[in-house]
Amino acid sequence: MKPREAQQTPAIQVLERMFSLLDVLAGHQDPVSLKALSEATGLHPSTAHRILNDLTLGRYVDRPEAGSYRLGMRMLELGNLVKARLDVRDAALPAMRELHKFTHQPVNLSVRQGDEIVYIERTYSERSGMQVVRAVGGRAPLHLTSVGKLFLASDDSPRVRAYAARTGLAGHTRNSLTEVGALERELATVRQRGIARDDEELELGVRCMAAGIYDDQAKLVAGLSISAPADRLEESWVVRLKETAAQISSALGHRGA
């Protein structure tokens, strides 16, 4: 056996067989018969039956009726424990550092709180050539930021219009979107492209692009953005930005299309 294969295969054979049974069960919403499990895993029915019985005792597998099996509640309990311990900042920071090395510009991680975004992490260096105005903990209106537009784009039209009514869509620069029609057109573009932009709408001289970060329920939980002086933001970064956001989403349990 090659060393690489030795690392990928459990040292105890019964564990390998157990994992294969759990993987097959995970791929089905409905209970699976013993015969189907035996055929899918290549295990003799008596071997599969013994392992499934032990898993049933531990509540890792349920037997809703004789001869059929599905994942048990213990798997849900363990999954919820793992999910509760996942922190978007911890999941994002290593990937953010790599993206910063690639762009040499500030990379920001933001979440939504009400009608604003809050910056919860940032990677940058003095060589970026851009003064960092909004530090970690800083806030900004949704409609003036690339990440904020991602969150607004995930809302339906009535909610977007309610946001506009609450905030008045106040602007910070001459480029700010202060009309609800213009904002809705911008959000339609965001939904189509999967990328949001801030074209000197929050601060003159600063442009941003952002991609969404999703959890295991496909819910938008954060946004990853690159900020740069207006003349230094490169369109070629879009692909790397999307890949990095997808990597972080995957770490949070999201399974992309």
Side-chain angles (χ1 to χ4, degrees):
M1 181 179 289
K2 298 178 182 178
R4 180 180 177 85
E5 292 173 343
Q7 293 177 357
Q8 293 179 334
T9 303
I12 302 174
Q13 189 180 53
V14 69
L15 290 180
E16 180 183 2
R17 293 172 172 177
M18 178 187 72
F19 293 153
S20 66
L21 287 166
L22 291 175
D23 283 341
V24 174
L25 290 173
H28 293 78
Q29 291 186 348
D30 298 323
V32 185
S33 69
L34 176 62
K35 179 181 179 181
L37 285 167
S38 175
E39 292 175 350
T41 60
L43 296 175
H44 191 277
S46 63
T47 301
H49 185 259
R50 286 196 303 271
I51 296 172
L52 288 165
N53 274 349
D54 287 344
L55 289 170
T56 300
L57 290 175
R59 297 194 302 121
Y60 294 95
V61 168
D62 285 339
R63 186 166 45 215
E65 57 185 36
S68 67
Y69 301 85
R70 65 186 177 194
L71 292 182
M73 291 302 295
R74 184 59 180 157
M75 299 296 289
L76 177 62
E77 293 167 1
L78 293 176
N80 285 336
L81 283 173
V82 173
K83 182 180 178 181
R85 292 170 184 169
L86 287 175
D87 182 280
V88 65
R89 179 188 174 277
D90 291 342
L93 196 51
M96 290 175 65
R97 289 174 177 151
E98 291 302 313
L99 184 59
H100 170 65
K101 289 178 184 178
F102 179 75
T103 64
H104 302 292
Q105 297 298 331
V107 175
N108 317 288
L109 181 68
S110 310
V111 297
R112 180 176 186 171
Q113 285 191 1
D115 291 339
E116 298 176 309
I117 64 159
V118 179
Y119 298 89
I120 62 172
E121 190 53 84
R122 168 171 281 139
T123 56
Y124 71 98
S125 63
E126 299 301 327
R127 294 182 300 169
S128 66
M130 187 182 77
Q131 181 182 3
V132 176
V133 177
R134 283 171 173 77
V136 172
R139 296 170 176 268
L142 296 176
H143 67 288
L144 300 182
T145 60
S146 54
V147 170
K149 290 176 185 176
L150 289 173
F151 281 101
L152 285 174
S154 70
D155 285 344
D156 57 22
S157 182
R159 289 178 180 170
V160 172
R161 289 182 172 269
Y163 166 83
R166 284 194 307 271
T167 63
L169 297 182
H172 283 201
T173 76
R174 61 177 177 270
N175 290 353
S176 299
L177 297 177
T178 57
E179 304 258 344
V180 67
L183 177 61
E184 287 181 323
R185 288 191 292 274
E186 177 86 353
L187 298 180
T189 300
V190 172
R191 295 183 191 106
Q192 179 182 10
R193 298 179 179 175
I195 286 285
R197 300 174 186 275
D198 161 14
D199 186 16
E200 300 184 72
E201 297 162 54
L202 184 63
E203 301 172 28
L204 287 175
V206 178
R207 295 171 61 211
C208 303
M209 57 174 63
I213 295 172
Y214 300 84
D215 66 9
D216 62 322
Q217 301 298 313
K219 177 184 177 182
L220 178 66
V221 294
L224 186 71
S225 64
I226 302 170
S227 304
D231 59 349
R232 296 189 190 179
L233 193 72
E234 298 183 16
E235 290 303 310
S236 60
W237 294 343
V238 167
V239 173
R240 187 66 173 266
L241 174 63
K242 282 186 170 182
E243 289 174 349
T244 304
Q247 177 186 345
I248 299 168
S249 298
S250 179
L252 294 176
H254 177 64
R255 294 186 178 182

